[in-house]
Amino acid sequence: MADLAPLLEAKDKRFEPNLGRRFHSNINRRFYTNSVRKPCWILRPLSLRRCVLAITVLCILSIIYFSHYTFNSPLTSLIHRNTRPEPNIKCSIMNGPRLPQNHDHKTEARLRSDPKVLVFVETMYSKLGREIAELLVYTRIKYKVEVSGKSLPVLTNLDKGRYGVIVFENFNKYLQMDNWNRELLDKYCREYMVGVIGFINPSEETLIGAQLKGFPLFIYTNLKLKDAALNAASQILRLARAGETAWGTLPGEDWTIFKANHSTYEPLEWAHRDNNYQTDEMKMPLPTIVQDHGLFDNIQRVIFGSGLKFWLHRLLFLDSLSYLSHGQLSLSLDRLLLVDVDDIFVGEVGTRLRPDDVKALLATQERIQNMIGGFKFNLGFSGKYFHHGNNDEDKGDDLILENIDKFMWFSHMWNHQQPHLYDNLTQLTEDMLLNKNFAKEKGIPVDSGYSVSPHHSGVYPVHDILYTAWKKVWNIRVTSTEEYPHLRPARLRRGFIHRNIMVLPRQTCGLFTHTMLIEKYPGGREKLDESIQGGELFQTIVYNPINIFMTHMSNYGNDRLALYTFESVIKFLQCWTNIRLKTAPPLQLAETYFKHFPEETDPVWGNPCDDLRHQKIWSRNKSCDSLPRFLVIGPQKTGTTALYTFLSIHPAIASNLPSPDTFEEIQFFNANNYYRGLDWYMNFFPTDPNSTNRYFFEKSATYFDGDLVPKRAHALLPHAKLVTILISPAKRAYSWYQHTKAHGDVIANNYSFHQVITANDTAPKPLRDLRNRCLNPGKYSQHLERWLSYFPPQQMHIIDGEALKSDPMEVMNEMQKFLKIVPLFNYTSHLRFDPKKGFYCQIISGDHTKCLGRSKGRHYPPMEERSLKFLQRYYLSHNTALVKLLKRIGMRNIPQWLKDDLTDTPG
């Protein structure tokens, strides 16, 4: 700075006088001119107050003029509306002939193994392992995860292989397996023609020409690469399409490349060194994925030199699964696409569609139709807001209606109101009729059978009167939602059917941001393009056979980013994949979807209370307090009714209202009642602001052994506590038989207990059904394991049924502690043993007792000795597993009946 000071000082001395002379001469010239031309009163000195007032008025006028000019002038329209990005996908092969890469990969070998993937991971938490598992979940491919280094799982089932492809997160774990397991695995792969996929994991050590153990293949590690391309001659390519180059630096600096010394190896992907100083040799393409044709040891493999961070590797991984499984794990190449444009007439002035926006919409649609035959944007409308813009925007509305037949149409609400705010079916129906009458007046089709609720409400969480009104007014047969389940990423969502209306998963394009935001945040455009070119949006379409995208009107007018996004991603898909993009009306989409995924027809009701967004779009008359906080899950004939009675005595606990069909049990999670929906279930738990009985519970003894019950219960009540009662399974089976016999069951009255429990699989179906109801619930460990796969042990309380019968006061005290109910209710003064009944009853009216009905506490003839011995042998393995399970979950006192059953088991 000291060296610069003389120069700066000289600069000041040199320029300041000249500037001053010019400034003063200009002032004098202007003053002279004005004094000649204007009256002299202009020269009068102004007061400070007048100056401030004049400046203030001038500022206000400037702001008003600027605001008007900014938001209404044609120039502003050009600034905000004509600076949108144009699709920039450059693809030389898009319009050229397609290479013959569309292999179906099917061979006779596919019949020898199951379509399932065995994945070996380093740990259950390793990153690449999770990414592999997630990709298999997204594409609905069955898989099993094992930690490397342990014993191999069972690989065969009779004469068939259990797995079609073996995947190693770290290929070195495969190379370093002990000889016994390696020989066993290789023998399995050869015998059943099962292939192996491996990933070379990054390491701190840089290897140069290191040989892979036992193979004529050499690797170079920790490289930075760029410009990837595919081998067009590879038989693996199916989803992925060769011919283009993914220009630019590839993600990561830990890539591995391969150099082979055997004809068995063929490159699948190449890339180049990302280095400005390269020799001619370094400019050669470098294999980053190699295919082993099995010529060396009769096992086919695909080895990746990097993980799944690079989007192209995800396609190649799926293609490798398809190829190595002989077509069993192939994804269909067909993709159906529907783009909804919500709120076509709804929007603030200045954000709605103008004529040039409508023309751009039509022009883009026409270009997309050249790539997807018959494609049409699907416009959702609320008639009340037609012609609610400025003059230019109203012309845009008119232009849309002039082109009605060029679009598909679906209904919103007339006033764009959220349906969950309607508690009255009549009002909801009237609102829909207004929109339907508007559609008929304007010539908009009303027979699409498809509708979507504004703000996503009424679809999920389900608002039942909406479904009723939809059917009544519009004959709706299909809708879509982004909320079920409320999962991220979007490709994890699924559909369901409720009240004969098919609900499809919907992908919301949260990628669209206003152009000004892209300008404000430099990464905005790059993030959008990243999603299009191999990222989230691209992968969503690749992994889902049917895609419904929800977009908003403002993304077609205010910034037109929707047009840019969809045209770009379609071009990119055509450039890099063999996917066949198609379109269809919503009803046809729904039928195709549930044909693909019939298992999704059953809904899984989630808990709106666990999601703030769900709570906001839940009906106003719903309350989180109207859900039970614990479940008594059974099994039957173990004392659940007695427990229900004891719980009902408690002043802080309330049970559900009785069911007209099943009495105190709702039987929601394991029966057809589940399809009646969440509203039906919650009506059994009415909330009373004046009541303190808010600790709701439900008892349904059939829940215990229901296959779907744990999954359903956890989806709706993930924090609920579970209570189950266990007695000797032999005793429980006999009690159930006597129960059905007392109720007049024909089979029970015509067959002895021994005949029932020993019936074989060729017996008549009614007899087999009774046998199963006697025997299956007693496989306690099997059913508890299913529950514990969804609920942690801390949420489960296991009661010894014999202790409940002999000392219910102590059992109920322990249960109150488990439920954390304070203060403890004193059951001693409310229960008394009844010698006639043989169990404890409730004390009422001073010294009287109220016991369970005559059907409870019956005295049965003793079980035959041969039946007892048969059941002890039958349940031996199950009881042994139960002891291990109880110890594992921390139950200190093993029930005496369980010890006795194991001790008395005949040899």
Side-chain angles (χ1 to χ4, degrees):
M1 290 299 292
D3 296 337
L4 293 176
L7 293 175
L8 294 173
E9 194 173 314
K11 178 182 176 182
D12 293 341
K13 292 179 180 178
R14 181 179 177 184
F15 291 107
E16 277 190 355
N18 294 334
L19 287 171
R21 281 195 294 271
R22 284 200 299 272
F23 177 78
H24 288 294
S25 63
N26 288 337
I27 290 293
N28 291 336
R29 190 179 302 113
R30 290 172 189 162
F31 177 80
Y32 175 77
T33 304
N34 289 338
S35 65
V36 172
R37 294 180 181 177
K38 294 183 179 181
C40 59
W41 62 265
I42 294 290
L43 304 177
R44 295 175 185 172
L46 297 174
S47 68
L48 180 61
R49 180 179 298 174
R50 289 179 179 177
C51 286
V52 171
L53 181 62
I55 292 172
T56 302
V57 172
L58 181 62
C59 289
I60 293 173
L61 292 174
S62 299
I63 292 172
I64 293 173
Y65 176 74
F66 178 76
S67 299
H68 174 76
Y69 183 83
T70 299
F71 292 104
N72 295 286
S73 72
L75 179 59
T76 301
S77 176
L78 289 174
I79 292 173
H80 287 278
R81 291 177 174 264
N82 291 340
T83 57
R84 307 169 186 84
E86 293 296 327
N88 61 353
I89 306 300
K90 308 299 180 185
C91 185
S92 59
I93 67 170
M94 194 182 328
N95 298 318
R98 287 181 177 262
L99 297 175
Q101 298 173 186
N102 190 9
H103 314 296
D104 63 12
H105 293 157
K106 291 182 179 179
T107 71
E108 289 299 320
R110 72 185 186 277
L111 304 176
R112 305 199 61 196
S113 59
D114 291 330
K116 190 174 182 180
V117 181
L118 177 60
V119 183
F120 286 99
V121 298
E122 292 202 73
T123 72
M124 297 304 290
Y125 307 100
S126 50
K127 183 178 180 182
L128 179 56
R130 292 199 311 269
E131 290 176 346
I132 293 170
E134 287 170 0
L135 183 51
L136 296 174
V137 170
Y138 298 156
T139 50
R140 296 173 168 87
I141 294 175
K142 295 179 180 179
Y143 69 98
K144 177 180 176 62
V145 173
E146 292 284 340
V147 177
S148 299
K150 297 183 178 181
S151 298
L152 290 177
V154 177
L155 298 175
T156 59
N157 182 17
L158 298 178
D159 61 342
K160 196 169 185 180
R162 288 177 178 265
Y163 307 100
V165 179
I166 313 294
V167 177
F168 281 86
E169 175 195 11
N170 185 347
F171 193 61
N172 282 326
K173 296 293 184 179
Y174 171 68
L175 301 177
Q176 296 166 4
M177 291 176 75
D178 62 82
N179 291 337
W180 172 264
N181 284 319
R182 174 64 182 277
E183 289 176 6
L184 189 63
L185 184 61
D186 285 355
K187 180 182 178 182
Y188 170 76
C189 291
R190 292 189 190 99
E191 184 173 345
Y192 292 92
M193 300 184 70
V194 170
V196 175
I197 297 175
F199 294 85
I200 304 296
N201 274 24
S203 63
E204 294 181 2
E205 182 182 8
T206 298
L207 303 177
I208 301 176
Q211 184 175 2
L212 290 183
K213 181 181 177 181
F215 293 100
L217 187 64
F218 304 85
I219 61 172
Y220 299 74
T221 64
N222 292 335
L223 298 176
K224 187 177 181 181
L225 303 179
K226 65 178 181 180
D227 304 340
L230 302 181
N231 177 8
S234 174
Q235 294 293 306
I236 288 179
L237 298 183
R238 186 172 182 277
L239 279 172
R241 182 183 184 191
E244 281 298 315
T245 299
W247 300 105
T249 301
L250 302 182
E253 299 181 2
D254 50 13
W255 283 70
T256 294
I257 62 169
F258 303 92
K259 187 174 181 180
N261 191 22
H262 196 286
S263 59
T264 191
Y265 298 107
E266 178 185 6
L268 176 58
E269 178 189 67
W270 293 285
H272 293 81
R273 289 288 295 269
D274 192 3
N275 192 328
N276 294 327
Y277 306 99
Q278 298 183 13
T279 63
D280 290 340
E281 184 178 351
M282 295 173 66
K283 292 180 181 178
M284 295 291 292
L286 307 170
T288 54
I289 303 176
V290 292
Q291 175 186 0
D292 180 352
H293 288 281
L295 304 178
F296 183 71
D297 62 354
N298 293 320
I299 299 175
Q300 295 199 57
R301 302 177 184 87
V302 178
I303 308 172
F304 286 71
S306 184
L308 299 177
K309 289 186 292 185
F310 183 33
W311 63 267
L312 196 50
H313 282 195
R314 293 174 173 265
L315 292 182
L316 297 175
F317 177 73
L318 294 173
D319 281 349
S320 299
L321 290 176
S322 172
Y323 179 81
L324 295 175
S325 68
H326 308 279
Q328 286 195 104
L329 299 172
S330 296
L331 301 183
S332 169
L333 294 177
D334 292 328
R335 299 293 182 276
L336 286 168
L337 183 68
L338 178 69
V339 179
D340 290 347
V341 185
D342 284 9
D343 312 338
I344 200 64
F345 298 130
V346 182
E348 298 294 331
V349 175
T351 66
R352 298 160 64 98
L353 297 180
R354 301 180 182 183
D356 61 322
D357 298 317
V358 179
K359 292 174 183 176
L361 178 66
L362 289 165
T364 302
Q365 178 173 278
E366 187 174 345
R367 290 195 297 272
I368 293 177
Q369 286 171 348
N370 292 330
M371 297 182 281
I372 306 176
F375 176 85
K376 292 183 179 181
F377 286 106
N378 196 27
L379 309 187
F381 63 95
S382 295
K384 179 178 179 179
Y385 295 96
F386 178 74
H387 274 191
H388 270 55
N390 58 34
N391 184 56
D392 207 17
E393 291 168 339
D394 288 349
K395 291 179 181 178
D397 288 355
D398 292 334
L399 187 55
I400 290 173
L401 293 186
E402 290 175 19
N403 292 276
I404 284 176
D405 59 331
K406 294 183 180 178
F407 301 106
M408 292 189 291
W409 295 83
F410 67 95
S411 67
H412 274 327
M413 301 295 292
W414 159 255
N415 59 2
H416 203 247
Q417 180 65 283
Q418 297 172 318
H420 72 269
L421 298 178
Y422 289 84
D423 297 326
N424 185 286
L425 178 61
T426 302
Q427 293 178 343
L428 187 58
T429 302
E430 289 175 353
D431 187 290
M432 288 186 181
L433 285 170
L434 288 172
N435 214 34
K436 189 171 185 178
N437 292 335
F438 166 81
K440 290 180 177 179
E441 178 187 337
K442 300 298 182 183
I444 297 173
V446 296
D447 58 353
S448 71
Y450 177 70
S451 184
V452 176
S453 298
H455 311 287
H456 329 296
S457 69
V459 177
Y460 194 82
V462 169
H463 188 45
D464 275 330
I465 66 169
L466 170 64
Y467 283 69
T468 302
W470 264 345
K471 295 289 287 186
K472 182 177 180 181
V473 177
W474 289 98
N475 191 27
I476 297 302
R477 287 173 285 171
V478 59
T479 184
S480 61
T481 179
E482 65 171 284
E483 293 299 319
Y484 173 81
H486 194 177
L487 294 174
R488 299 292 182 270
R491 51 183 178 263
L492 279 175
R493 298 181 188 132
R494 50 159 287 170
F496 68 99
I497 297 178
H498 182 59
R499 293 198 171 187
N500 296 320
I501 292 180
M502 295 174 281
V503 183
L504 296 177
R506 203 177 193 193
Q507 285 74 43
T508 301
C509 283
L511 312 164
F512 305 147
T513 17
H514 192 276
T515 307
M516 297 300 290
L517 290 179
I518 290 181
E519 294 171 358
K520 182 177 180 182
Y521 301 106
R525 172 68 180 276
E526 286 75 13
K527 289 292 183 183
L528 179 57
D529 284 341
E530 181 182 309
S531 182
I532 292 168
Q533 299 177 29
E536 172 73 12
L537 179 59
F538 170 83
Q539 291 177 35
T540 295
I541 298 175
V542 168
Y543 302 154
N544 288 298
I546 294 167
N547 296 269
I548 301 177
F549 287 98
M550 182 193 70
T551 59
H552 288 95
M553 178 268 295
S554 60
N555 298 129
Y556 297 83
N558 203 42
D559 53 37
R560 291 192 198 162
L561 279 179
L563 301 179
Y564 166 81
T565 299
F566 285 112
E567 188 173 355
S568 296
V569 76
I570 291 169
K571 287 183 175 180
F572 195 79
L573 282 159
Q574 288 197 331
C575 183
W576 279 100
T577 76
N578 289 305
I579 284 173
R580 299 183 289 262
L581 289 171
K582 302 178 181 180
T583 190
L587 185 58
Q588 184 179 334
L589 280 181
E591 292 170 346
T592 304
Y593 182 91
F594 288 108
K595 184 178 179 180
H596 271 84
F597 307 116
E599 71 279 2
E600 292 189 10
T601 56
D602 282 353
V604 179
W605 307 124
N607 192 335
C609 303
D610 287 341
D611 191 314
L612 288 176
R613 189 170 182 184
H614 282 178
Q615 287 189 48
K616 291 178 180 177
I617 56 176
W618 206 14
S619 179
R620 292 178 299 185
N621 59 3
K622 299 294 183 297
S623 168
C624 294
D625 295 330
S626 292
L627 287 170
R629 295 167 68 177
F630 72 95
L631 302 175
V632 177
I633 61 175
Q636 290 172 300
K637 306 309 294 179
T638 59
T640 56
T641 303
L643 179 62
Y644 172 86
T645 303
F646 298 158
L647 288 169
S648 300
I649 298 172
H650 200 296
I653 298 176
S655 68
N656 53 273
L657 295 177
S659 166
D661 301 319
T662 50
F663 307 104
E664 79 270 10
E665 295 191 353
I666 304 176
Q667 298 185 6
F668 175 66
F669 293 107
N670 67 329
N672 289 331
N673 289 336
Y674 191 74
Y675 303 114
R676 298 188 179 188
L678 188 53
D679 285 2
W680 181 88
Y681 182 60
M682 293 182 66
N683 286 335
F684 285 96
F685 303 95
T687 55
D688 182 358
N690 300 319
S691 174
T692 58
N693 289 336
R694 304 299 290 277
Y695 209 105
F696 280 118
F697 81 98
E698 182 215 335
K699 185 272 287 188
S700 290
T702 53
Y703 286 169
F704 181 75
D705 58 315
D707 290 340
L708 297 175
V709 177
K711 177 182 179 181
R712 289 173 171 179
H714 184 264
L716 181 60
L717 308 169
H719 310 296
K721 296 189 175 183
L722 309 173
V723 178
T724 185
I725 310 173
L726 303 181
I727 64 172
S728 168
K731 183 178 179 181
R732 195 221 70 83
Y734 187 58
S735 180
W736 176 253
Y737 168 80
Q738 294 291 352
H739 171 81
T740 57
K741 187 173 183 179
H743 282 77
D745 183 84
V746 175
I747 300 298
N749 280 290
N750 288 333
Y751 290 88
S752 70
F753 178 61
H754 192 75
Q755 288 175 315
V756 170
I757 61 176
T758 58
N760 58 36
D761 290 340
T762 62
K765 186 178 183 303
L767 178 57
R768 284 183 280 124
D769 289 343
L770 179 57
R771 176 200 64 187
N772 293 339
R773 286 310 305 159
C774 286
L775 297 179
N776 287 347
K779 300 173 182 177
Y780 295 146
S781 61
Q782 176 180 310
H783 303 305
L784 288 173
E785 289 285 9
R786 190 187 307 115
W787 281 97
L788 291 171
S789 67
Y790 290 94
F791 291 86
Q794 296 80 9
Q795 287 178 232
M796 179 175 285
H797 184 61
I798 298 175
I799 294 175
D800 179 353
E802 299 300 335
L804 178 66
K805 184 177 180 180
S806 61
D807 190 4
M809 287 75 73
E810 179 60 26
V811 170
M812 296 309 295
N813 285 339
E814 289 298 318
M815 185 166 176
Q816 290 181 85
K817 293 175 184 177
F818 167 71
L819 297 174
K820 297 182 179 179
I821 296 178
V822 290
L824 291 180
F825 180 67
N826 184 7
Y827 274 94
T828 304
S829 58
H830 292 83
L831 295 176
R832 178 190 301 161
F833 183 78
D834 189 310
K836 292 183 180 180
K837 279 286 186 177
F839 51 78
Y840 281 79
C841 301
Q842 179 184 357
I843 300 173
I844 59 170
S845 303
D847 202 36
H848 297 283
T849 59
K850 178 182 179 182
C851 295
L852 298 176
R854 288 181 297 176
S855 63
K856 305 298 180 182
R858 283 196 186 99
H859 296 286
Y860 305 127
M863 188 190 313
E864 288 183 284
E865 185 68 17
R866 60 174 182 163
S867 297
L868 178 60
K869 297 300 183 184
F870 172 85
L871 291 175
Q872 286 177 335
R873 287 192 299 270
Y874 182 86
Y875 287 119
L876 175 60
S877 62
H878 299 288
N879 284 340
T880 303
L882 178 61
V883 171
K884 294 179 180 178
L885 184 148
L886 295 179
K887 290 181 177 179
R888 190 181 80 228
I889 65 176
M891 188 170 178
R892 297 177 182 176
N893 299 320
I894 302 300
Q896 186 60 46
W897 60 259
L898 181 53
K899 297 177 182 178
D900 294 341
D901 277 6
L902 289 171
T903 303
D904 297 339
T905 302

